[in-house]
Amino acid sequence: RSYDLVLTGVQAMDNVDGQVGPLLAARVGIPHVSVVTHVAPADDGKAVTINQEYAGGFLAEFHVDLPAVLGIQAARAVPRYAPVSRVRQIMKTASLETVPAEADASSGLIVQRMFVPEAGGHAEMIEGDTDAIVEKAEMIEGDTDAIVEKLATILGDRGLIPG
C-alpha cells in the first residue's frame, strides 16, 4: 500500500448518499469515518484525530488508526487547485490502472417505486419543551417522556410500530 489517508466528499450534487468513501474503504479493507469536519495528524504519524459531526451540530472526537478513508463534510479553508499547466503535464506521463467493478444485488440503492407526496394538513405537532432538550443535550424526563409516549401512540395507531 502506498497511501495512509484517503479523503473523499460525503455528498454529490444529485444525492446525499455519500457512497464513495464507504465503498472504497470496504473494497480495500480499511476503516472509514464520514461527515468529518476536522483532521489532525497524531505525533507518531500512524493515526489521525478527527471531529465527526452529528445532527444538530454536535461533534465527537475520534482517534483513527491509519490507513483509513475519511468522508470530509466541510473544510476550514478553501481548497487549493492545481494549475492547469501542471494537470496537463501529469496527464502526459501518468497512467490509470483499470480495476474491474464487482457488485452484487445487495450493493447500492434500488428504488422500487415512488409516490407523489400527499397534500399537507395531516401533520400533528407534539407540544413540549424540546428547545431545552437540544440546548442541554440531555433528556429532560417529564417533557421527553410525554413526547415519546405521544409519538409511540400515534405510530402504534397507524400500524407503523407494534402496539
Side-chain angles (χ1 to χ4, degrees), residues 22-93:
L23 289 171
L24 177 62
R27 167 96 170 139
V28 297
I30 61 176
H32 168 264
V33 182
S34 198
V35 195
V36 172
T37 59
H38 175 72
V39 181
D43 292 335
D44 63 4
K46 296 181 181 180
V48 289
T49 300
I50 59 115
N51 288 352
Q52 184 180 41
E53 184 176 353
Y54 292 95
F58 294 104
L59 295 176
E61 184 175 282
F62 295 98
H63 181 82
V64 180
D65 292 332
L66 298 177
V69 176
L70 302 180
I72 304 299
Q73 171 68 19
R76 291 184 178 191
V78 176
R80 297 181 306 179
Y81 295 100
V84 174
S85 60
R86 179 75 175 130
V87 172
R88 287 187 179 149
Q89 179 184 7
I90 291 172
M91 287 173 57
K92 291 178 183 177
T93 59

Side-chain angles (χ1 to χ4, degrees), residues 12-161:
M13 290 180 66
D14 60 345
N15 72 35
V16 292
D17 290 339
Q19 296 295 305
V20 171
L23 289 171
L24 177 62
R27 167 96 170 139
V28 297
I30 61 176
H32 168 264
V33 182
S34 198
V35 195
V36 172
T37 59
H38 175 72
V39 181
D43 292 335
D44 63 4
K46 296 181 181 180
V48 289
T49 300
I50 59 115
N51 288 352
Q52 184 180 41
E53 184 176 353
Y54 292 95
F58 294 104
L59 295 176
E61 184 175 282
F62 295 98
H63 181 82
V64 180
D65 292 332
L66 298 177
V69 176
L70 302 180
I72 304 299
Q73 171 68 19
R76 291 184 178 191
V78 176
R80 297 181 306 179
Y81 295 100
V84 174
S85 60
R86 179 75 175 130
V87 172
R88 287 187 179 149
Q89 179 184 7
I90 291 172
M91 287 173 57
K92 291 178 183 177
T93 59
S95 64
L96 295 176
E97 178 184 344
T98 302
V99 178
E102 298 174 16
D104 59 30
S106 65
S107 65
L109 294 176
I110 298 172
V111 178
Q112 294 180 342
R113 56 188 174 161
M114 297 178 74
F115 299 93
V116 175
E118 292 182 19
H122 302 289
E124 180 178 341
M125 300 306 292
I126 301 172
E127 299 297 325
D129 190 7
T130 55
D131 289 339
I133 294 169
V134 172
E135 286 175 14
K136 294 180 182 177
E138 61 185 32
M139 300 307 238
I140 299 174
E141 290 186 25
D143 286 336
T144 302
D145 290 344
I147 293 169
V148 169
E149 185 61 38
K150 179 71 173 170
L151 184 57
T153 302
I154 292 169
L155 294 174
D157 291 348
R158 295 183 181 170
L160 298 172
I161 62 172

